[in-house]
Amino acid sequence: MSKQFDVIVIGAGPGGYIAAIRAAQLGKNVACVDEWKNSQGGPALGGTCTNTGCIPSKALLQSSEHFDHASHHFAEHGIEVKGVSMDAAKMVARKDAVVKQNNDGILYLFKKNKVSFFHGRASFVKAVEGAASTGSGPGYEIKVAGAAEETLMGQQVIVATGSSARALPGAPFDESQVLSNEGALAMTAVPKKLGLIGSGVIGLEMGSVWRRLGSEVTILEGLPTFLGVVDAQIAKEAHKAFVKQGLKIELGVTVGDVKVGKKGVSVAWTNAKGEAQKLDMDKLIVSIGRVPNTAGLNAEAVGLQLDERGAIVVDSDCKTNLPGVWAVGDVVRGPMLAHKAEEEGVAVAERIAGQHGHVNFNTIPWVIYTNPEIAWVGRTEQQLKADGVAYKAGTFPFLANGRARALGDTTGMVKMLADATTDEILGVHIVGPMASELIAECVVAMEFRASSEDIARICHAHPTLSESTKEAALAVDKRTLNF
Ligand SMILES: Cc1cc2nc3c(=O)[nH]c(=O)nc-3n(C[C@H](O)[C@H](O)[C@H](O)COP(=O)(O)OP(=O)(O)OC[C@H]3O[C@@H](n4cnc5c(N)ncnc54)[C@H](O)[C@@H]3O)c2cc1C
């Protein structure tokens, strides 16, 4: 006998677990299925984000930043620390404990919201008329292959199966020497020489962690431009800081053969000038993008449409080609970000409940949690130029901000772009301390379609880093007060 649900969510990453909770809050009888296993074979809810993405990377970035401060920056505060040492295995164990707190937290939230959780792989079996107890429309039979096999029936299905790391052709991940994000976050010793392919968000964050802990890090990037999606002025500032920290970044390269030996990895590559090069390293992290997880869904059984990348095709409301089947997060188009997945999950749950959930894709913030942090919302200067939009720009350096000087962290700036005629804020770009937190004000401003004048006239506490945002807004009108 199958179990009947109003909504079945496949995947308990940020897209899926948030959709499940919101649908349950709105009175739906909800099941959520996830296959991720912890080291004991039990469930580990939270998907990539919690297990091998956002949370563990931030835990290691924090630990490695503490180490960097103790090793290099305490002395300037008059604090003498003798013999700073570091235990990478302990750092990783702390990271694992942080991950587990988050896994357990989601299970607790499911219980609190009466979401039924099933541990195992979910796949479509068939479409069935009037499948769920409360529904009369089409529904879907879903098989769960776990410790025991279960059959579930759902009137509505939300697919939130996420994504996995893309491997380099000819160099499959062994998570020992050729590492995806999983292996990169689990190293218990610091590699002397570390190579990375890909200088995107994940590559820069992972490279920063292991560089701070003492690895010699070389990043090989195929694109000719460093962080091409970032505002060019901000990317240039960040590049300077990363090079100063000792990250070697090679742009415009072509990666050739990867040879994995007993003791290390050797990568043949060609530099931007076309010269053949070779790089030997202890470990190689490959971060060249991610592939949507649709292989295990048996999408063909119900005719669920996928694109050429294997992503589920959805419209702007996250509706698939099948009635009652929705998809959110990394498994569909758009930026692969946890908060984008969450917003889509909430919007879909609300639409299922007859409400009008909506995601504003123009105000999704991006953050890179390096040091300096990089964060932005809206369009870059190069995008505005390409779109032919007349704009005004204002920048304010952290060097001129009192709080940044007190923190001893004055790298970077806030840059605000506003429409030349209406003064509406079109983009804000930050490189510097706590950019990840500062960007929230700018997202709110853009969501409310604020002008730069609005931010310039709002009282910001002194001394705070956020005064730099106000000053950048003042700079749009060429009336900065502190620079
Ligand atoms: C190293 C790294 C750092 C990152 N840092 C950040 C960050 O700081 N901020 C940010 O916003 N984003 C970050 N991301 C991206 C973020 O992790 C993803 O965008 C986010 O996890 C996507 O959420 P999701 O719910 O779509 O999928 P996922 O989190 O991937 O979850 C999908 C879940 O579905 C399960 N699943 C898949 N197929 C099936 C099936 N057939 N049956 C049952 N279960 C299934 C998977 O096991 C998984 O648990 C990072 C990613 C990486 C790799």
Side-chain angles (χ1 to χ4, degrees):
M1 183 63 187
S2 63
K3 294 179 176 152
Q4 305 263 321
F5 292 94
D6 300 332
V7 181
I8 297 175
V9 183
I10 307 179
Y17 91 78
I18 289 290
I21 290 173
R22 186 70 188 119
Q25 283 177 345
L26 292 167
K28 299 292 173 187
N29 177 21
V30 183
C32 182
V33 189
D34 192 280
E35 64 178 345
W36 205 296
K37 288 184 184 146
N38 62 24
S39 52
Q40 279 86 48
L45 284 77
T48 303
C49 168
T50 302
N51 292 295
T52 58
C54 323
I55 301 297
S57 57
K58 267 79 258 178
L60 288 186
L61 279 158
Q62 188 62 49
S63 297
S64 60
E65 192 161 349
H66 282 321
F67 178 67
D68 184 60
H69 281 189
S71 306
H72 304 296
H73 302 295
F74 276 9
E76 71 211 41
H77 293 267
I79 305 168
E80 202 179 317
V81 189
K82 288 205 177 92
V84 180
S85 68
M86 186 262 312
D87 180 341
K90 203 164 176 183
M91 253 180 219
V92 169
R94 174 189 175 271
K95 177 267 301 179
D96 290 340
V98 172
V99 167
K100 185 162 185 320
Q101 282 169 358
N102 284 271
N103 296 143
D104 295 348
I106 298 167
L107 255 186
Y108 160 79
L109 291 172
F110 275 3
K111 283 198 188 108
K112 183 180 159 201
N113 289 282
K114 300 192 174 46
V115 173
S116 303
F117 176 67
F118 295 87
H119 191 210
R121 169 165 289 194
S123 54
F124 284 98
V125 179
K126 60 185 178 202
V128 185
E129 278 302 310
S133 48
T134 55
S136 55
Y140 296 87
E141 184 179 320
I142 303 284
K143 184 178 86 178
V144 181
E149 194 159 297
E150 304 252 13
T151 303
L152 314 180
M153 290 280 197
Q155 194 194 349
Q156 308 269 338
V157 178
I158 304 173
V159 182
T161 47
S163 64
S164 305
R166 182 190 301 281
L168 204 61
F173 296 119
D174 58 19
E175 303 301 358
S176 156
Q177 282 167 295
V178 182
L179 314 175
S180 70
N181 53 303
E182 289 186 29
L185 290 161
M187 283 192 270
T188 49
V190 181
K192 193 164 174 307
K193 287 189 175 179
L194 177 66
L196 278 112
I197 301 185
S199 72
V201 179
I202 296 171
L204 286 171
E205 289 187 3
M206 292 299 91
S208 294
V209 166
W210 296 103
R211 172 70 202 127
R212 289 172 195 164
L213 299 180
S215 290
E216 201 179 294
V217 177
T218 307
I219 306 181
L220 302 177
E221 168 60 55
L223 294 172
T225 314
F226 179 67
L227 283 178
V229 293
V230 175
D231 185 276
Q233 193 178 359
I234 298 293
K236 196 173 160 201
E237 192 76 12
H239 186 264
K240 257 195 309 193
F242 296 148
V243 170
K244 206 166 149 198
Q245 288 161 19
L247 287 176
K248 286 188 202 144
I249 304 168
E250 298 283 350
L251 301 172
V253 314
T254 308
V255 174
D257 276 353
V258 177
K259 289 205 175 82
V260 184
K262 279 201 180 116
K263 288 204 177 138
V265 183
S266 176
V267 177
W269 58 285
T270 311
N271 69 15
K273 291 184 203 144
E275 297 158 344
Q277 310 281 329
K278 193 165 85 91
L279 189 67
D280 294 319
M281 62 203 81
D282 303 302
K283 309 265 183 194
L284 173 67
I285 298 174
V286 178
S287 56
I288 55 169
R290 296 184 60 83
V291 189
N293 290 331
T294 44
L297 276 174
N298 198 22
E300 328 68 78
V302 286
L304 179 63
Q305 194 188 345
L306 308 180
D307 68 13
E308 62 292 346
R309 291 183 312 127
I312 298 174
V313 177
V314 289
D315 65 11
S316 57
D317 290 344
C318 296
K319 275 188 189 142
T320 70
N321 64 315
L322 301 175
V325 180
W326 312 72
V328 301
D330 280 12
V331 78
V332 303
R333 44 84 193 112
M336 288 187 171
L337 293 169
H339 42 283
K340 175 262 193 186
E342 290 182 13
E343 293 303 314
E344 287 181 333
V346 167
V348 165
E350 292 181 348
R351 280 183 208 123
I352 287 173
Q355 298 186 353
H356 302 282
H358 170 71
V359 180
N360 183 356
F361 288 97
N362 297 324
T363 55
I364 292 177
W366 288 74
V367 180
I368 308 178
Y369 296 81
T370 42
N371 184 5
E373 291 187 341
I374 304 167
W376 72 98
V377 58
R379 281 183 281 177
T380 60
E381 193 165 355
Q382 59 265 30
Q383 280 172 330
L384 291 176
K385 278 186 184 150
D387 294 347
V389 177
Y391 63 90
K392 300 175 285 181
T395 56
F396 186 80
F398 284 109
L399 199 63
N401 174 276
R403 183 68 187 279
R405 284 199 290 251
L407 289 170
D409 199 352
T410 52
T411 308
M413 69 180 88
V414 179
K415 172 173 180 175
M416 191 171 286
L417 301 166
D419 188 282
T421 314
T422 65
D423 194 35
E424 180 175 349
I425 300 171
L426 302 174
V428 185
H429 306 272
I430 308 175
V431 54
M434 301 309 282
S436 56
E437 299 294 337
L438 293 174
I439 201 67
E441 175 187 8
C442 311
V443 176
V444 173
M446 285 190 64
E447 193 66 51
F448 283 86
R449 303 197 61 179
S451 62
S452 75
E453 181 73 14
D454 288 326
I455 298 291
R457 290 198 176 276
I458 290 171
C459 179
H460 288 65
H462 176 76
T464 59
L465 297 169
S466 72
E467 287 172 290
S468 301
T469 309
K470 178 185 169 115
E471 289 280 1
L474 285 163
V476 169
D477 195 35
K478 299 193 174 29
R479 52 190 171 99
T480 324
L481 296 167
N482 283 288
F483 187 59

